[in-house]
Amino acid sequence: TRLSSRFTHANSFALRSHTCGELRKSDVGRKVKLSGWVQFQRLNKFVLLRDAYGVTQLVVPDEKLDILNKIRNIPLESVISADGKVAARPPGQDNPKQLTGEVEVILDDIEVLSSSISNLPFTVQESPKVKESLRLEYRYLQLRHESLQRNIRLRSEIVMKMREFLVRVHGFVDIETPTLFRRTPGGAQEFVVPTRTSGKFYSLVQSPQQFKQLLMVGGFDRYFQIARCYRDEGTKANRQPEFTQVDIEMSFTTKENIQRLIEGLLNHVWPEDMGRIPIPFPEMTYKDAMKNYGVDKPDTRFDNLLQDVTELAKASEIFRLFGSSEIANFAAIAMVFKSSAALVSKSAEESLLESAKMTTDKTKLSFVLIRMQDGNKWKSSLTKKLTQETMNSIGDRLGASAGDVILLGLGPRESLVPSMGKMRLELANHLETLGVKLRSNTNNFLWVVDFPLFLPSEELDGGPLQSAHHPFTAPRPEDEHLLRSSPLDVRGLHYDLVLNGSEIGGGSIRIHQSDVQEFVLKEILQEDPINLLHLLKALRCGAPPHGGIALGLDRLMSIICETKSIRDVIAFPKSLDGKDPMSGAPTSISEKEKKMYHIGVVQNK
Amino acid sequence: TRLSSRFTHANSFALRSHTCGELRKSDVGRKVKLSGWVQFQRLNKFVLLRDAYGVTQLVVPDEKLDILNKIRNIPLESVISADGKVAARPPGQDNPKQLTGEVEVILDDIEVLSSSISNLPFTVQESPKVKESLRLEYRYLQLRHESLQRNIRLRSEIVMKMREFLVRVHGFVDIETPTLFRRTPGGAQEFVVPTRTSGKFYSLVQSPQQFKQLLMVGGFDRYFQIARCYRDEGTKANRQPEFTQVDIEMSFTTKENIQRLIEGLLNHVWPEDMGRIPIPFPEMTYKDAMKNYGVDKPDTRFDNLLQDVTELAKASEIFRLFGSSEIANFAAIAMVFKSSAALVSKSAEESLLESAKMTTDKTKLSFVLIRMQDGNKWKSSLTKKLTQETMNSIGDRLGASAGDVILLGLGPRESLVPSMGKMRLELANHLETLGVKLRSNTNNFLWVVDFPLFLPSEELDGGPLQSAHHPFTAPRPEDEHLLRSSPLDVRGLHYDLVLNGSEIGGGSIRIHQSDVQEFVLKEILQEDPINLLHLLKALRCGAPPHGGIALGLDRLMSIICETKSIRDVIAFPKSLDGKDPMSGAPTSISEKEKKMYHIGVVQNK
């Protein structure tokens, strides 16, 4: 860790002269005072003292019996402060792995500030390997580990740099907006908060979206906020009931201006030791992303693109086998992983094909894994049913050769494409666990644009259209005339920011014309405008054109810190089920509180 | 307003070349593009264009009929962008009140970006005088007013400077802590948030207190956060259901170190045009504050101290009149306002005396207002009942002379002292509304220290003691031995920060020994330790000595901005009853949500 060098002022107002990561050979002879945790001790003579900044070796001189008595049997993780003199370590005893490894502190005295229990549930060093429920229960122990110290401190540093860039370089104003508000129609499920007025509830905001637009109407033309947001989605792998977004909005701007602002922002905060990021970021349409990657957040660090072989399939016996007239919009899509045939075991193949069917309309989808052999011979479950001519035409089109793996998917295009996108990632992950290097060693930022503004209803009986993102996104000007006639063909001025296949942000130019907003809400989405009356009214009072973006800070930090979960970049995360194993939250409340908030607990099955 | 000079980079990524507050005589001849709101127009020729940074006069050349057509009848507060060329104003037409008052922009073209309705509920200029419910309903209109622009932007600037001081100068780490947590025992009423698990609720944190202590245990030795906090207290004049505090905690430190840190912080962020603040701040004990000012947050900008005349009263007929043996702990306290007798009308006197009785045990308290006349003659309701000797002795002791006002209070000391403190402020306010200059023109910071650690139970039947501040405050080391024998005599290592008679912060050195914390919780406060088991467990795992502070950002900003209410330094405040007149929050929720959260609405009485 190189953190210590960044925090040179960490000793002001503190009962220490130096941190435990600070002393060097040039300090030899200096009288110092250190405070920290006993990480290790040996022979009642050597103590390894740790704080957030590093470790320093303390040495008890033989004649100091009083110190000896204090540290004898002192439990590890006890807190002490130590006075002493810096000395060079004896020849041959330097520890090059420690920043302070050339020196030690010969003790004059120590004070035991807080004695730890001796039976800690786990040691700080082993904490990353402890099962998560126990780690979260004793989160304060794990927080002492250098990996979490690094993640949380780097998060602070990156947020600080964001602020400096936005405020000092570009004149943005940091404005706090309420979290106790009223329900936003059409978004995620929002937590509710009962009040002392019977039957009246606040909702916890899922984003400052409405407020930031109202700020634009209110003349704050360059707003940002590191904003706490809330969503009750059940806790998914990379979700938390509360999370943080970098929330930005500007008036009198364009999509491209906001994109350039964000590129500048990320370039400014990107850790130096991770290399520079190339800006501007490339841009890809939603259509191309889906076509080539089967997903709207492509991981462009590797190719293995989806290839459409529908025409070839239709011209062959495949159509008869899989594409009977029952399947509307039949498609055949394939992708090739070169020289991978020997790396996909039968069981890997089965779990890969199974996973693709998990989330989609499995009755109409078929997937085949083909191991290519010499002469366009396919080793696959399909081989017997196909003519060599068909295998030739597809194999040639794909440029596949002996030793390659082809994944071929067949079925309705709408469900086939995302399944193929999923399999592309899963097969790549599988190959990489076996040591194949598929992904480039880069950080691939990507703008995905030209999303449709609306999606068909998810209801079977065909309810009103839904917003692809949210009801405030403006249509592309050249598509605006289609709003009435053909709303599903309208593309929005929305932009998603993708990093290495993860969506880390999204934003749009907003609708600033009250009549357009009203039409979208009432006529297209068929929402009750009562929930957004304040916004509609505001747009009638002189609303500047405006747009913005929100970056998911937890996810961004997780990628920067290379952690498996966003929980590793949050000081006190909830567990997957939304609980806090440390405090036991959530808990029951008192009858007095139930009465105060006019609520009763109802047992639903 | 001098804001425009601070925001020199406000034009990047925006569809303007300059803000409306930026153009000067040196820009004459320059082609510019401005965007903003139509604040005023005259003769279809002059348009005053406003944005957050100022106003600029636009001029329609006579020959430009197309522009004329666009602005003819354009409603005020419409949003336009304007292209044109900067010109000096004709001789004699400079407006020295405008930053841009020496120039105007001769228009080439304008674009109407958003037309306002013509019947706005109020104009931006008159918004400060509109009644609050209407102002809050159309908050976005009021936000355009330069006073709110200044307050909110200054808040952003001060918070940014705090961050720079804490992070860049002193190596603090900005760490976000959860707001969804479990109930803190013994504090304010906390909002509850139902979850999808039947009967289980989160509480919205009233402060990050527990988390910041756990961070210290976790090795983050210099923490801060601009933290959103929640309290359900009913909305008092200076309270909001959600508010913001500057939350700070350090390990290995002392009370004095934290005081010096905060003085440095406030000195660093204090607006230059408000003058420097003298540091270190003076310190006063709780005992002295109560004795001299009758309150634990003294406004030291004026004297008129409380003076104890109990002995004189007891030696006189006053004791017989007011202090009969029924009144335990009888006291007589007086204060003098020089040369004010003519300024206190009979009705002012009545409301003053009445207000003092409002909040206290009025049956045992008596208050008398005395107008001093020549020769120690008292003009008061009491005069007939007293001997001249008594009047002489008290008048002489107080140093009162003809024309002065004496306020004399009689009754049980515990309730008399705060009443006198309240009357001191009320009489001062009354005199100041009449033009008397009592308060100095300074910003008086003050540390109040040596609070008792515990208070007697508020319950009549004498329940357990209560924490004066919170259960985590450490006792003064020299008083620690009294914890068992005489807990009400233990002073805490607590410090309140007072500015001009308002408490703007408070903090303490915390208990870091698990046995002491457990004794305080279980034996003294008689709390069920289940609610704080996680903290007790943490203190057993090696807890560094630590302490911290929290500053009330809303209140601090309100004093800096000289606003009547904290609502004027918050972008979207709730009204006094906790409602949002703009959106109508809080609202009812759907049956589906009630089912999801296993709650029913109960009608109490």
Side-chain angles (χ1 to χ4, degrees), chain A residues 3 6 148-163 226-228 242-246 269 271 552-558 560-561 566-572, chain B residues 173-177:
Chain A
L3 278 173
R6 291 196 200 147
L148 276 171
Q149 287 283 332
R150 183 179 55 89
N151 296 352
I152 302 291
R153 287 171 187 269
L154 187 56
R155 180 176 176 137
S156 168
E157 176 66 15
I158 281 181
V159 168
M160 187 65 194
K161 282 187 172 167
M162 285 181 174
R163 295 178 181 282
I226 311 293
R228 192 70 58 91
E242 51 187 316
F243 59 97
T244 303
Q245 67 187 37
V246 182
V269 306
L553 182 61
D554 306 299
R555 191 130 4 133
L556 177 64
M557 284 311 305
S558 175
I560 289 177
C561 294
I566 59 169
R567 294 189 294 287
D568 293 327
V569 296
I570 297 172
F572 296 100
Chain B
V173 183
D174 180 5
I175 304 179
E176 297 182 71
T177 58

Side-chain angles (χ1 to χ4, degrees), chain B residues 129-140:
Chain B
K129 288 173 191 159
V130 173
K131 78 174 161 129
E132 184 160 53
S133 60
L134 192 66
R135 263 190 283 144
L136 289 182
E137 184 180 346
Y138 294 90
R139 184 64 165 180
Y140 39 86

Side-chain angles (χ1 to χ4, degrees), chain B residues 517-562:
Chain B
Q517 184 67 76
E518 199 165 339
F519 180 80
V520 166
L521 283 171
K522 279 194 199 165
E523 305 299 326
I524 299 183
L525 302 173
Q526 297 179 30
E527 283 282 355
D528 184 350
I530 182 78
N531 284 316
L532 287 168
L533 214 51
H534 49 285
L535 186 68
L536 289 172
K537 277 163 81 178
L539 294 183
R540 291 183 203 121
C541 297
H546 60 285
I549 195 168
L551 304 178
L553 182 62
D554 306 300
R555 188 119 22 121
L556 177 64
M557 285 311 306
S558 174
I559 295 174
I560 289 177
C561 294
E562 295 177 346

Side-chain angles (χ1 to χ4, degrees), chain A residues 390-408:
Chain A
T390 299
M391 292 189 268
N392 284 348
S393 73
I394 293 180
D396 288 349
R397 165 73 67 86
L398 297 174
S401 52
D404 293 354
V405 161
I406 300 175
L407 276 172
L408 176 64

